Amino acid sequence: RSERVLESEDEEVWQGAVVALYHEYLRTEQYELAQTYLDKIPKKWIERDRLQATLYRKAGKRQEAYELLEQILFQTCSEISMCFQGLYSLAMEEKDFVRAKKMVDKVEEILSILEMSDYMVLAPRLNMALEQKEADECFSLLERQIESMESIDSFKQADLYRHMNFSAINDKSVLKTMFKKALENDKEMEFLREDGRFQELIKRLNS
C-alpha cells in the first residue's frame, strides 16, 4: 500500500509513505532498499540525517553512524543557542528578568554538556550583562573570554566529537583583532569605554 501511495501528489502523504517503507525495509534488514527510499527524502528535511545514522548503525557502519550523529549534535548546538537567545529576548522585552536569567542559565548548561569551549559558554551571560549594563559583570566576563581565546576550539578535542574531522586550528590573532574591533566600535560596549578597565582589556589584546 505504501508503494502505491508514493504516486500521491500530496507531499505530506508522499513523505509519510517513503518513511514507512524505509522503516519496513530497515526492520527486515533489507538495507539497500532502505537506503533507496532514504535517498528519496530531500536533504533539507531535518529528520533525514537521523534516519541515515540509524541505517548506518543497523548496517554495521559504526564509524559513519558515530560521525553523522556527532555532526548532528554539533550543528544543532548553534540552533539551540539561537532559540534560547530568542526566548531570552522575548523575556527581556516583557521585563520578565527572572525568566530571562533562567534562559541564560539553561543555554549555558547545554553548551557545557555539548562540550563547547569556555569562550562560547560565556557568550550568553555576557550578552545579558551588556544589555543590563552591569559594568562589573561585563569586565569580569570579558576578561574570562580573553583568557579562554587560546582554547576557543577545545571542542575539537572533546570526547563527544572524537569521530569527527575538524579543520586545522586557526590563527588566534585573527580572533583577537575581531574581538578588539568589537570592543572599540560596538554600540552596546559604549558605556564601558570610559572605565579604566576598558583600556586594560585593549592592552591585553594588543600583547
Side-chain angles (χ1 to χ4, degrees):
R1 184 177 181 277
S2 293
E3 289 177 345
R4 290 199 301 273
V5 176
L6 287 176
E7 297 174 6
S8 174
E9 294 182 1
D10 187 313
E11 185 176 355
E12 288 187 5
V13 172
W14 180 85
Q15 284 188 351
V18 170
V19 173
L21 287 165
Y22 161 84
H23 282 296
E24 175 60 19
Y25 288 123
L26 191 66
R27 183 184 65 79
T28 57
E29 300 182 0
Q30 297 179 72
Y31 299 129
E32 289 187 9
L33 282 171
Q35 183 71 62
T36 297
Y37 285 98
L38 182 58
D39 288 342
K40 293 179 183 294
I41 300 174
K43 285 187 178 292
K44 64 180 181 180
W45 194 33
I46 194 168
E47 194 179 8
R48 187 187 188 284
D49 282 345
R50 185 179 60 77
L51 297 177
Q52 180 70 72
T54 301
L55 178 55
Y56 281 148
R57 180 173 60 82
K58 292 283 189 178
K61 298 180 179 180
R62 304 187 67 79
Q63 174 64 31
E64 291 87 344
Y66 269 121
E67 187 172 354
L68 185 53
L69 287 168
E70 289 169 13
Q71 285 175 1
I72 293 170
L73 271 181
F74 186 76
Q75 292 167 359
T76 302
C77 186
S78 61
E79 296 179 15
I80 291 173
S81 295
M82 287 188 290
C83 287
F84 272 102
Q85 179 60 41
L87 292 169
Y88 163 80
S89 297
L90 286 167
M92 288 295 290
E93 289 166 5
E94 296 169 358
K95 310 295 184 187
D96 190 344
F97 302 119
V98 173
R99 180 172 171 78
K101 183 181 181 301
K102 185 177 181 181
M103 294 303 104
V104 170
D105 291 342
K106 284 187 176 295
V107 71
E108 200 171 65
E109 182 179 358
I110 290 170
L111 290 173
S112 295
I113 290 171
L114 293 177
E115 299 190 46
M116 292 294 104
S117 66
D118 289 342
Y119 184 92
M120 299 175 187
V121 173
L122 291 168
R125 194 165 296 279
L126 174 60
N127 290 336
M128 181 173 69
L130 285 169
E131 188 164 350
Q132 296 181 349
K133 298 190 184 308
E134 297 176 351
D136 290 343
E137 179 77 350
C138 285
F139 281 114
S140 174
L141 291 167
L142 286 167
E143 287 173 5
R144 290 171 64 190
Q145 275 204 315
I146 292 173
E147 289 173 1
S148 67
M149 281 183 182
E150 289 303 317
S151 59
I152 191 171
D153 52 2
S154 61
F155 57 83
K156 294 179 180 180
Q157 285 79 47
D159 183 66
L160 189 58
Y161 309 114
R162 64 180 177 177
H163 298 89
M164 289 179 64
N165 294 313
F166 291 101
S167 59
I169 295 175
N170 296 322
D171 184 357
K172 303 299 191 305
S173 64
V174 176
L175 175 62
K176 284 188 175 183
T177 300
M178 293 174 61
F179 196 90
K180 179 173 173 285
K181 187 176 180 180
L183 286 178
E184 293 175 332
N185 299 305
D186 284 6
K187 187 174 178 62
E188 61 185 359
M189 303 279 188
E190 191 172 2
F191 74 99
L192 299 174
R193 295 189 186 118
E194 298 302 319
D195 193 302
R197 291 172 289 182
F198 185 84
Q199 289 306 318
E200 290 300 317
L201 291 179
I202 298 298
K203 288 178 183 178
R204 288 185 62 182
L205 290 168
N206 286 333
S207 62

